[in-house]
Structures are given as C-alpha cells and as structure tokens.
C-alpha cells in the first residue's frame, strides 16, 4: 500500500504539524525553538511550502503551549486568550472552493467558540468560518459564512454532531463553493448548501479564535495537525 503525505496533495496551502519541532518556536520572532513539554508556542511554521506561518499576537499569555505525552505531541489552546494568527487571509472563500482537515481534541467548549476563521480588521460583517462550536450544542461543528454587506450566506449551528466531544477526532470540511460538507473520522456528513452573493474579502486568518479588529470567542482544545487545500475542485 502506498503511503500518502500532505505534500502529495495538490494545491496544499497550509500544513501545520505539532510533531515536527523544527516548525515550532517559543517566541513570535521565531528565534527560540520549542524543545520540551510545557513551552509556549509563539510561532507555528507552515510546512506546505507556501510560507503561511502563524504567530501569536505577542510574547505573552496569549501564546498556546506545546505538550507531549507518551510520544504524542500537540499544541494546547486554553480557550481564554490563546490563539495564533496571520494578518493576511488564507484565501479559502476567494479560491472558490477549499477543504481543511484537523486532527484535534476539544476540551469542554462554550457556545460559538471559533476554531478556524477568516475575518476583517475593519468590519465585523465579513466572516468565513468553516469551524466553530455550535449553538446551543457546543460539541457540534458549526459553519458560518457572511459577506461584506452583513448578509448571511450560510449559518448551520450543527452541521456535524460530536466533532468537539473531548475525544481525539479528525474533523474536516469541504466547501465546493455551493455547499459545505463536514467530515468526522473519515465519515462524510450531510452537505449544507448556500448561494454566493456580494463580496467577501477577509484580511486575516486565525486558529483558535475569531479575529477581526481584536480577537474573541477563543476555542479550547489541542490540534496536532492541520491541512488546508485550495481549491477543492
């Protein structure tokens, strides 16, 4: 059987892997490597070749933490103020189609805690959120897409149940440009369709929080690997 790697995937735009310590740094300058359990993660470098590296907003308590147990490695987001971001968008909506898959475990989350997000620094209108916790079912995967004019194109508060149930899961979404299909541990869920209208131009991307002018609604959990692909078609 042939073994596939993320680098075998065409149009790979983001690949984060916690077990590769060469990609993790304690500070946002990316000059102090992560070498041990419990150290902060100020920079998590992208392995896709696209250079979409993520950093914390400052060298302070907003940094997530690297953890390892029995050889299993992950990055812990506390759900209070820790997140990683880039002040540029990954381009998921602009590509016309996209997919993201994350190996993760979510701690007990609150309502509408944002995991993978694109927002705009100048307005609260613009949102492309393929991964957040549901409302009111916080263990569900929810999706939210809203254009620059504040028109909701898609809001499904429970597109996939048990995605954030405090177990180790592989959670994913595939956006074709006309619908979003969730995946959980290799099983395809039910597509939620939507119609594109107007413009949607986010200018920043975050992992672990909703980021617009400021961050909010932090997600508690521990991703170990993240892969993003543009376009899906």
């Amino acid at each position: 059987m042939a073994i596939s790697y993320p680098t075998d995937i065409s149009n790979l735009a983001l690949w984060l892997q916690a077990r590769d310590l060469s990609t993790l740094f304690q500070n946002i300058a990316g000059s102090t490597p992560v070498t041990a359990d419990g150290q902060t993660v100020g920079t998590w470098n992208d392995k896709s070749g696209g250079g979409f590296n993520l950093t914390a907003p400052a060298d302070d308590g907003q940094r997530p933490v690297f953890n390892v147990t029995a050889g299993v490695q992950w990055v812990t987001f506390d759900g209070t103020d820790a997140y990683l971001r880039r002040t540029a968008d990954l381009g998921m909506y602009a590509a016309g189609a996209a997919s993201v898959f994350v190996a993760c475990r979510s701690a007990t989350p609150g309502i509408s805690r944002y995991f993978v997000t694109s927002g705009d620094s100048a307005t609260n209108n613009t949102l492309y959120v393929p991964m957040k916790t549901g409302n009111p079912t916080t263990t569900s995967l929810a999706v939210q897409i809203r254009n620059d004019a504040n028109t909701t194109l898609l809001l499904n508060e429970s597109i996939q149940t048990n995605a954030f149930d405090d177990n180790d899961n592989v959670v994913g979404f595939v956006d074709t440009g006309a619908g979003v299909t969730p995946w959980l541990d290799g099983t395809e869920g039910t597509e939620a369709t939507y119609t594109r209208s107007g413009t949607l131009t986010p200018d920043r991307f975050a992992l672990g929080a909703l980021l617009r002018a400021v961050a909010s609604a932090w997600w508690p959990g521990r991703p170990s690997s993240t892969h993003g692909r543009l376009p899906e078609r």
Side-chain angles (χ1 to χ4, degrees), residues 2-225:
I3 299 174
S4 296
Y5 297 93
T7 48
D8 297 327
I9 301 172
S10 62
N11 302 314
L12 187 66
L14 178 65
W15 177 16
L16 304 174
Q17 190 173 55
R19 70 179 184 179
D20 184 352
L21 289 185
S22 71
T23 68
L24 296 173
F25 296 87
Q26 297 180 52
N27 56 347
I28 62 175
S31 58
T32 305
V34 168
T35 59
D37 177 73
Q39 292 180 339
T40 57
V41 177
T43 300
W44 197 350
N45 283 343
D46 172 25
K47 294 181 56 155
S48 74
F52 200 81
N53 304 327
L54 304 182
T55 60
D59 285 327
D60 57 17
Q62 297 175 88
R63 290 171 292 179
V65 173
F66 172 77
N67 292 117
V68 56
T69 298
V72 179
Q73 298 163 261
W74 65 87
V75 176
T76 299
F77 293 76
D78 61 14
T80 301
D81 59 1
Y83 71 102
L84 296 172
R85 88 309 183 239
R86 187 176 176 91
T87 53
D89 187 43
L90 185 60
M92 293 180 286
Y93 186 84
S99 63
V100 172
F101 286 80
V102 185
C104 65
R105 175 187 289 188
S106 178
T108 304
I111 290 172
S112 294
R113 296 301 185 98
Y114 289 75
F115 184 18
V116 179
T117 70
S118 291
D120 192 294
S121 59
T123 176
N124 287 342
N125 294 350
T126 306
L127 287 176
Y128 185 82
V129 181
M131 289 189 181
K132 76 179 189 75
T133 65
N135 181 4
T137 306
T138 60
T139 55
S140 290
L141 172 66
V143 59
Q144 183 178 13
I145 304 174
R146 195 168 67 203
N147 70 16
D148 298 342
N150 206 32
T151 300
T152 295
L153 308 184
L154 177 61
L155 177 60
N156 187 317
E157 291 287 3
S158 186
I159 194 171
Q160 175 65 59
T161 59
N162 300 320
F164 301 125
D165 60 357
D166 201 22
N167 287 303
D168 293 320
N169 295 319
V170 177
V171 182
F173 81 95
V174 176
D175 183 357
T176 65
V180 175
T181 300
W183 288 77
L184 180 62
D185 295 331
T187 299
E188 183 177 1
T190 301
E191 181 186 44
T193 61
Y194 71 99
T195 301
R196 290 179 169 233
S197 68
T199 59
L200 198 157
T201 55
D203 65 2
R204 48 194 47 208
F205 174 88
L207 189 68
L210 173 59
L211 180 61
R212 296 179 287 199
V214 296
S216 63
W218 296 267
W219 174 84
R222 43 187 248 189
S224 58
S225 183

